[in-house]
Amino acid sequence: MVCEGTHFDGKIPHTFVIFGASGDLAKKKIYPTLWWLYRDDLLPKPTKFCGYARSKLTIASLKEQCLPYMKVQPHEHKKYEEFWALNEYVAGSYDGRTGFELLNQQLELMENKNKANRIFYLALPPSVFEEVTVNIKQICMSLCGWNRVIVEKPFGRDDASSQALSDHLAGLFHEEQLYRIDHYLGKEMVQNLMTIRFANKILSSTWNRENIASVLITFKEPFGTQGRGGYFDEFGIIRDVMQNHLLQILSLVAMEKPVSCHPDDIRDEKVKVLKSIEALTLDDMVLGQYLGNPQGTNDDARTGYLEDPTVSNDSTTPTYALGVLKINNERWQGVPFILRCGKALNERKAEVRIQYQDVPGDIFEGSTKRNELVIRVQPGEALYFKMMTKSPGITFDIEETELDLTYEHRYKDSYLPDAYERLILDVFCGSQMHFVRSDELREAWRIFTPILHKIERERVRPITYQYGSRGPKEADQKCEENNFKYSGSYKWHGGKVATSNL
Ligand SMILES: NC(=O)C1=CN([C@@H]2O[C@H](COP(=O)(O)OP(=O)(O)OC[C@H]3O[C@@H](n4cnc5c(N)ncnc54)[C@H](OP(=O)(O)O)[C@@H]3O)[C@@H](O)[C@H]2O)C=CC1
Ligand SMILES: O=C1O[C@H](COP(=O)(O)O)[C@@H](O)[C@H](O)[C@H]1O
C-alpha cells in the first residue's frame, strides 16, 4: 500500500535520497540546500539524508567535497556536525538491483523500520533516469508513507524523447508524485510575477495588446563553457535556457488569471497560454556562437566556443539565441514576446521588460519615451517602472525617471532564499505550484522541436560574436523589428536623490 499525503505532519520520519550524490549538482546545490533548510529549522523532524552513487565515498569525503559550497558560519559548527550525523551514503550501480536493495535496507535502518515518507532526488544524467526510476519503484518505495520523485532537466531533447520520458515516468508514478524542477520557478522575482500582475489593478488593467508594445525576456551569463562544453554542445542554449527557464517566465507573464492559487489552476492557465503560441520558425530567430577575446583576462574569456577541447571544432551549436514568440489569443495578438539568452556575454542578468506603447497624440514634441516596467530577476532583485516626469525646477522640459523598488533598499533585513531552498521545501510540503506538469512540457517542446530539428538537420551556422560583448548586432535589429524600442537616453541615478544646484 502506498499512502500519499499533502503535508508533512506529526512525527513521521522523512528520508531524502540523493541519487548522483558524488556529482557536481549534488555538491554545489543539493547538499548545501539541505544544510540551509536544516540550519534554519525548516525541515520536518526527523529528516535524514542518504546519498547514492557509483563512487565509493564516505560521509567524510562527501562532507569535504561539499564544504566550499555550504557557507558555514563559525557559530554554526555544532549544528553543521549534527547535519552530517544525519547523513548516510550507499555506493552502488544504477542498473542492477543489488545496489538498490542495499539502499533500501539502509533507508529502513535509518527509519527504524517505521512508517516514513521518502523523497528521491535524481541529480543524474538522463542516460540513467529510466533504470534508476524503475529500481526506485520496484525496490525503494516507502510502503506506507508517501513517495515523491524530483526530476532534474533535461526532460528529453525534443517532443518525442520528452514524451517517451513522460510516458515512462507515468507508468511508474502518479503525476502528484513527480516534481520536475525548473529552478527559475524558485526565484523570488519569478514567484512575484503572479502578485505583480494579479494584485495590482493598475497593472492588471493595462496588461494587454491595447497598451503593451512588446515583452523582452533576457538571460545573460558573462562566462562560456569553462571547459565543460561536452554537455552543452549536445544541447545548446535553446534547450539549456530558452525552452525551459525563459518559456516558464513567459507563461507567467502572459497567462490569464487563474481561478485560484491552487497549483493545478495556475498550471492549467500556463498550459492554455502555451497552447496559443505558434511553433518558432527560423525567421523568428537570431542564433550566435562566441569567439574568444584575445584581450580577455582569463582562459575562459580568451577561448572561443570552438576552441573548447570538449566541443567539436566544427560545431554549429548556438551559445546565443533570440526567438520571437507570437501568442495567438485575444489578450496578446500582435504583441511580440522576445526571448533572448546567451553565454559569454557582457554581464550576468535575467530580467523581464514590459514595454508600453507610445503615448498617442504626443504634445511634447517627440521627447516622450515609452514606459517600461522592468522586473529584474537577478542579480539585485528589483522592480522599476520607467516613466516620464517634468524636469524639476524652472523648466518645462520633460525627462525619463523611474519608480524604483530595489529589494536591497526596501527590504533591507529580508532573507531571500536560494531557488533550490524554496523548491525542495515545496516538495516536503507537497506543493507542486512551482514545478512543471507533463502537459506544460509537451507544449514547450511543441513550440521548440521543429526549429531545433531544422537547425540541427541543416546545420544552420550561428553568427559569431565576441566573448564579453552584448551578442550579435542582428539581435538588436530583431528587437527593433519587433516593436522593442531602445532609446539609449535613460539614465539611472543609482537610487540616490539628485540634488539641485538652483
Ligand atoms: N532598482 C534598480 O536596481 C535599478 C537599476 N537601474 C539600472 O540602471 C541602468 C539602466 O537601466 P535600464 O533599465 O537598463 O535602461 P536602459 O534603457 O538604459 O537600457 C536598457 C537595456 O538596453 C540594452 N541595450 C544597450 N545598448 C543597446 C542597443 N544599442 N540597442 C538595444 N538595446 C541596448 C541593454 O541591455 P542588453 O545588453 O541586455 O540588451 C540595457 O540594459 C541599468 O544598469 C539598470 O540595472 C535602473 C533603475 C532601477
Ligand atoms: O539551468 C541552467 O541555469 C544556469 C543558470 O542558473 P542561474 O540560477 O545561475 O541563473 C546556467 O548556467 C546553466 O547553463 C543552465 O543549465
Side-chain angles (χ1 to χ4, degrees):
M1 180 180 55
V2 178
C3 325
E4 288 301 320
T6 30
H7 291 283
F8 49 81
D9 61 286
K11 307 232 167 337
I12 301 176
H14 289 71
T15 315
F16 194 101
V17 185
I18 305 115
F19 288 99
S22 58
D24 210 51
L25 180 66
K27 86 174 165 200
K28 289 187 180 151
K29 282 286 178 200
I30 314 307
Y31 278 105
T33 302
L34 293 170
W35 150 238
W36 298 327
L37 290 173
Y38 178 79
R39 175 197 66 192
D40 297 339
D41 291 324
L42 291 170
L43 296 179
K45 289 193 172 85
T47 297
K48 293 185 179 172
F49 315 94
C50 187
Y52 184 94
R54 286 174 310 182
S55 321
K56 294 202 169 22
L57 294 180
T58 60
I59 291 296
S61 55
L62 198 55
K63 192 173 160 190
E64 195 183 320
Q65 70 185 44
C66 293
L67 186 63
Y69 308 98
M70 304 293 258
K71 299 186 197 148
V72 193
Q73 301 300 314
H75 68 277
E76 294 167 349
H77 273 291
K78 186 162 170 277
K79 199 152 188 181
Y80 188 61
E81 294 307 319
E82 275 170 28
F83 168 75
W84 280 108
L86 296 169
N87 273 270
E88 298 290 343
Y89 179 83
V90 174
S93 71
Y94 295 122
D95 48 1
R97 287 180 62 91
T98 324
F100 288 82
E101 281 161 0
L102 275 175
L103 172 65
N104 195 47
Q105 283 163 22
Q106 179 62 58
L107 300 182
E108 287 179 350
L109 212 62
M110 292 164 76
E111 294 156 353
N112 293 323
K113 304 215 168 186
N114 287 324
K115 172 181 175 179
N117 298 326
R118 292 183 182 170
I119 297 176
F120 302 96
Y121 198 115
L122 304 187
L124 291 169
S127 52
V128 296
F129 272 11
E130 292 204 1
E131 46 213 352
V132 169
T133 45
V134 167
N135 281 321
I136 291 174
K137 175 69 184 195
Q138 290 182 352
I139 303 166
C140 296
M141 298 282 272
S142 167
L143 292 183
C144 203
W146 50 246
N147 295 276
R148 294 177 184 153
V149 183
I150 308 179
V151 189
E152 269 286 345
K153 67 166 192 136
F155 310 122
R157 48 177 296 110
D158 58 11
D159 50 4
S161 52
S162 173
Q163 193 57 48
L165 178 62
S166 291
D167 291 346
H168 168 82
L169 291 173
L172 298 172
F173 308 107
H174 302 293
E175 185 65 27
E176 301 75 57
Q177 295 177 300
L178 290 169
Y179 289 74
R180 294 180 194 83
I181 279 219
D182 181 313
H183 78 283
Y184 266 61
L185 291 178
K187 292 192 186 265
E188 178 71 26
M189 297 309 280
V190 176
Q191 296 198 345
N192 200 359
L193 284 167
M194 287 247 312
T195 318
I196 294 168
R197 287 194 54 196
F198 301 122
N200 291 295
K201 178 79 178 114
I202 197 163
L203 293 179
S204 57
S205 53
T206 59
W207 211 262
N208 50 41
R209 64 193 294 270
E210 279 77 44
N211 298 283
I212 291 172
S214 57
V215 175
L216 176 62
I217 304 176
T218 303
F219 165 98
K220 292 165 97 178
E221 253 176 6
F223 49 83
T225 48
Q226 298 179 316
R228 291 196 300 271
Y231 152 81
F232 189 87
D233 203 46
E234 252 190 72
F235 286 85
I237 196 75
I238 300 175
R239 290 188 181 90
D240 195 43
V241 173
M242 191 184 272
Q243 180 268 355
N244 38 63
H245 306 328
L246 297 193
L247 193 68
Q248 280 295 329
I249 295 179
L250 178 149
S251 59
L252 290 167
V253 170
M255 71 181 186
E256 294 300 311
K257 186 173 181 168
V259 174
S260 75
C261 286
H262 187 278
D264 274 333
D265 288 336
I266 296 169
R267 297 189 298 176
D268 286 349
E269 291 306 332
K270 287 166 74 187
V271 172
K272 229 163 83 189
V273 76
L274 290 176
K275 283 188 170 167
S276 306
I277 299 179
E278 296 165 23
L280 269 169
T281 67
L282 207 49
D283 286 346
D284 306 321
M285 301 211 72
V286 175
L287 303 173
Q289 192 183 71
Y290 66 86
L291 299 171
N293 178 354
Q295 314 314 338
T297 49
N298 59 46
D299 285 350
D300 188 47
R302 282 188 293 269
T303 314
Y305 182 67
L306 297 184
E307 293 156 78
D308 179 331
T310 60
V311 168
S312 80
N313 54 14
D314 62 346
S315 168
T316 50
T317 301
T319 59
Y320 179 100
L322 178 149
V324 184
L325 274 69
K326 296 168 194 117
I327 306 179
N328 183 24
N329 68 14
E330 197 168 346
R331 183 183 293 275
W332 295 119
Q333 193 179 353
V335 180
F337 277 70
I338 309 165
L339 308 186
R340 286 191 305 178
C341 46
K343 301 232 170 216
L345 295 174
N346 59 331
E347 59 179 334
R348 174 172 183 250
K349 170 168 102 171
E351 65 176 25
V352 181
R353 279 177 197 265
I354 313 287
Q355 194 169 87
Y356 281 75
Q357 293 172 6
D358 294 314
V359 174
D362 181 35
I363 56 168
F364 295 105
E365 296 166 351
S367 32
T368 310
K369 301 284 160 35
R370 285 181 170 182
N371 291 143
E372 204 169 273
L373 176 69
V374 185
I375 300 151
R376 191 153 63 228
V377 175
Q378 66 187 30
E381 291 81 353
L383 178 79
Y384 54 99
F385 184 69
K386 298 205 288 198
M387 57 179 289
M388 301 304 297
T389 191
K390 176 186 154 310
S391 301
I394 307 176
T395 168
F396 201 57
D397 290 348
I398 69 171
E399 66 179 45
E400 292 168 289
T401 186
E402 70 284 321
L403 293 175
D404 180 3
L405 171 61
T406 302
Y407 274 47
E408 204 188 356
H409 300 156
R410 179 65 175 78
Y411 298 114
K412 279 197 180 65
D413 300 321
S414 300
Y415 169 63
L416 298 182
D418 178 78
Y420 276 89
E421 270 176 270
R422 298 171 203 254
L423 296 177
I424 289 184
L425 197 55
D426 279 350
V427 182
F428 276 96
C429 296
S431 169
Q432 292 183 307
M433 181 187 295
H434 307 296
F435 293 84
V436 184
R437 212 169 56 184
S438 61
D439 47 354
E440 278 181 82
L441 200 54
R442 196 176 319 126
E443 288 307 316
W445 282 118
R446 178 190 58 73
I447 296 166
F448 284 95
T449 300
I451 189 68
L452 284 163
H453 283 179
K454 184 177 173 68
I455 291 169
E456 284 158 5
R457 201 177 44 242
E458 297 178 10
R459 290 183 57 75
V460 176
R461 277 243 154 251
I463 303 163
T464 52
Y465 62 95
Q466 196 173 56
Y467 194 119
S469 70
R470 290 185 51 255
K473 299 228 174 348
E474 288 79 349
D476 285 340
Q477 282 159 19
K478 197 59 133 189
C479 289
E480 240 179 276
E481 287 161 19
N482 283 283
N483 208 4
F484 182 84
K485 279 194 193 168
Y486 170 73
S487 66
S489 54
Y490 170 70
K491 296 276 173 297
W492 184 50
H493 291 278
K496 290 191 203 93
V497 179
T499 47
S500 165
N501 289 331
L502 294 173

